[in-house]
Amino acid sequence: MASLRESLSVRNLSKHYGATRAVDDVSLEIPRGRFVTLLGPSGSGKTTILMAIAGFVHPTAGEILLDRAPITPLPPEKRNFGMVFQGYALFPHMSVAENVGFPLRVRGIGRAETAARVKESLSLVQLGQLADRRPQQLSGGQQQRVALARALVFQPALLLLDEPLSALDMKLRAELQLELKDLHRRVGLTFIYVTHDQEEALSMSDSIAILRDGRLVQEGNPDTLYERPESRFVADFLGKSNFLSGRVERVRPGGFTYTVDGARFVQDHAGAVTPGSRALVALRPEKIDVLAEGAVADNATEGTIAAWSYFGASFSLLVDAPGLGRLQVVVPSWRCPVEPAEGRRLRLGWSAGASVPVRDD
Ligand code: ADP
Ligand code: MG
């Protein structure tokens, strides 16, 4: 039975504040030991879902189950979940070791066991040397690692993290992303991670749930979400996309042709489509090739470079393509067959499987 592997279930969760639907009928199955990310713009309901899982927010409707047992009525302290927030919320008057030991003191654990567990927890986050320091003697990244050690010290059933890295500068954030992933591998605990940063979500998660206005719009592993977005919103929010809007012309097994302003394109597609219906297709900038003279592709268009930038490994081009509008193209600099220049004409191409049909929402 699949449900034996389910560690946490969120079932039809809603939280309304007056007319605001902070969370609207969200269901999630989170298998034990996974790194699951709730990703969405600000105000999409991420924190509210996390707080409902933690027990700080009482749902308007729905249920939360841990290993198939309902925990919705339990207060936070009975759930035994670790939490890490954006602000470090360390006690300034306590040493690192006292901060980390605090949850154990609250639980009435004895001195010797506390000392051993604090030591173990600090070494998990590589802070063993700094046990006697005060929080203000630590860098932002170190403080966040203390907060992590404190959340892990009482051996929680799962770890809830709400934008824990968003207060850190970019370089430190990248470092801690790797550390967090590594920590997740070592402790084998379920991590539920909240972020509005799509790159962070893509690089860290086993699976991602994308939220919009309190609703779950799509979930899956990072590459499925990136390669197979179902809607314009997901294609646009997770990475960058060009959108081609046309009309389905002919349907064949495994795909269809569509026209945009008289130009014809082919599209791979397994699902059902009707001739004459509208086609909206998402096309990633890096999936468009700049065609060399005489090269052929499933789909091709002429265009004129409106603007371009050099990024060392790649060129980013904005190309005005008649009928298609302005397309963003990212091409590896070592295999760009034309030298980019404003006003230069070129041909772009992409395969029938490079783009993906999406819903227009
Ligand atoms: P996110 O974490 O994705 O930014 P939140 O879960 O914090 O989103 O908020 C979702 C929506 O619910 C927002 O519109 C927010 O203003 C609203 N909201 C959250 N908490 C409350 C509250 N205690 N009272 C009223 N509205 C709230
Ligand atoms: Mg939030």
Side-chain angles (χ1 to χ4, degrees):
M1 260 187 340
S3 56
L4 284 178
R5 285 188 58 235
E6 290 164 12
S7 150
L8 189 86
S9 311
V10 173
R11 295 209 181 138
N12 306 104
L13 181 73
S14 291
K15 179 64 186 178
H16 300 171
Y17 295 103
T20 306
R21 297 179 172 211
V23 179
D24 193 10
D25 198 24
V26 167
S27 295
L28 291 165
E29 294 294 337
I30 301 176
R32 188 192 310 280
R34 299 268 283 179
F35 194 125
V36 175
T37 295
L38 309 180
L39 173 69
S42 172
S44 57
K46 307 179 297 292
T47 294
T48 307
I49 294 175
L50 212 66
M51 287 301 166
I53 294 172
F56 292 108
V57 156
H58 188 73
T60 306
E63 224 181 2
I64 295 162
L65 301 94
L66 185 66
D67 291 330
R68 304 171 76 189
I71 57 165
T72 323
L74 290 183
E77 64 274 13
K78 293 262 168 66
R79 301 190 183 197
N80 208 38
F81 297 164
M83 297 204 73
V84 183
F85 302 100
Q86 177 181 340
Y88 322 115
L90 301 177
F91 302 112
H93 59 287
M94 292 184 191
S95 70
V96 165
E98 286 163 347
N99 263 286
V100 174
F102 185 77
L104 300 178
R105 213 170 87 199
V106 171
R107 286 168 171 77
I109 309 271
R111 234 168 235 282
E113 189 181 344
T114 295
R117 284 224 233 151
V118 165
K119 199 169 164 213
E120 186 189 10
S121 205
L122 280 175
S123 80
L124 262 180
V125 297
Q126 279 123 35
L127 278 184
Q129 314 304 319
L130 304 182
D132 298 325
R133 292 239 187 128
R134 300 274 155 142
Q136 63 272 26
Q137 297 171 299
L138 301 177
S139 70
Q142 288 169 334
Q143 291 186 44
Q144 198 52 298
R145 272 150 54 195
V146 175
L148 262 172
R150 187 176 60 184
L152 291 168
V153 76
F154 56 93
Q155 294 159 335
L158 55 91
L159 193 61
L160 307 172
L161 305 107
D162 194 353
E163 314 231 12
L165 309 183
S166 57
L168 306 175
D169 67 53
M170 218 164 86
K171 190 158 169 285
L172 200 54
R173 205 157 70 205
E175 252 173 65
L176 273 164
Q177 283 170 11
L178 290 176
E179 271 186 41
L180 261 177
K181 253 190 99 161
D182 182 54
L183 181 70
H184 174 253
R185 230 180 343 255
R186 282 181 288 137
V187 298
L189 213 62
T190 308
F191 278 32
I192 306 180
Y193 192 90
V194 160
T195 184
H196 65 272
D197 180 334
Q198 45 111 359
E199 280 182 20
E200 194 163 289
L202 283 172
S203 69
M204 296 177 80
S205 324
D206 293 322
S207 74
I208 303 174
I210 298 188
L211 292 151
R212 180 190 193 184
D213 298 333
R215 297 190 71 95
L216 177 63
V217 290
Q218 195 178 348
E219 64 175 314
N221 60 33
D223 66 297
T224 305
L225 285 182
Y226 188 81
E227 299 295 336
R228 297 275 143 224
E230 289 166 2
S231 60
R232 180 195 278 267
F233 177 81
V234 172
D236 210 25
F237 191 68
L238 204 65
K240 294 201 168 86
S241 259
N242 298 293
F243 293 98
L244 310 184
S245 175
R247 202 150 286 285
V248 174
E249 187 189 48
R250 236 158 35 84
V251 180
R252 55 178 171 81
F256 59 86
T257 62
Y258 62 102
T259 55
V260 183
D261 206 22
R264 178 176 295 117
F265 302 102
V266 291
Q267 174 64 52
D268 285 352
H269 186 57
V273 257
T274 344
S277 65
R278 193 171 163 235
L280 182 68
V281 158
L283 177 58
R284 300 279 186 202
E286 73 277 14
K287 298 207 170 173
I288 302 178
D289 291 319
V290 176
L291 298 179
E293 186 108 357
V296 290
D298 293 347
N299 296 296
T301 183
E302 306 266 328
T304 308
I305 297 178
W308 63 280
S309 343
Y310 176 62
F311 289 99
S314 63
F315 288 111
S316 176
L317 314 175
L318 289 178
V319 177
D320 287 330
L324 300 181
R326 182 161 288 187
L327 299 177
Q328 195 182 350
V329 181
V330 172
V331 56
S333 39
W334 57 273
R335 60 182 195 111
C336 188
V338 303
E339 191 154 332
E342 233 176 86
R344 175 151 293 168
R345 294 183 59 79
L346 39 59
R347 280 172 70 237
L348 301 175
W350 64 96
S351 72
S355 46
V356 53
V358 293
R359 283 195 322 264
D360 194 7
D361 56 37

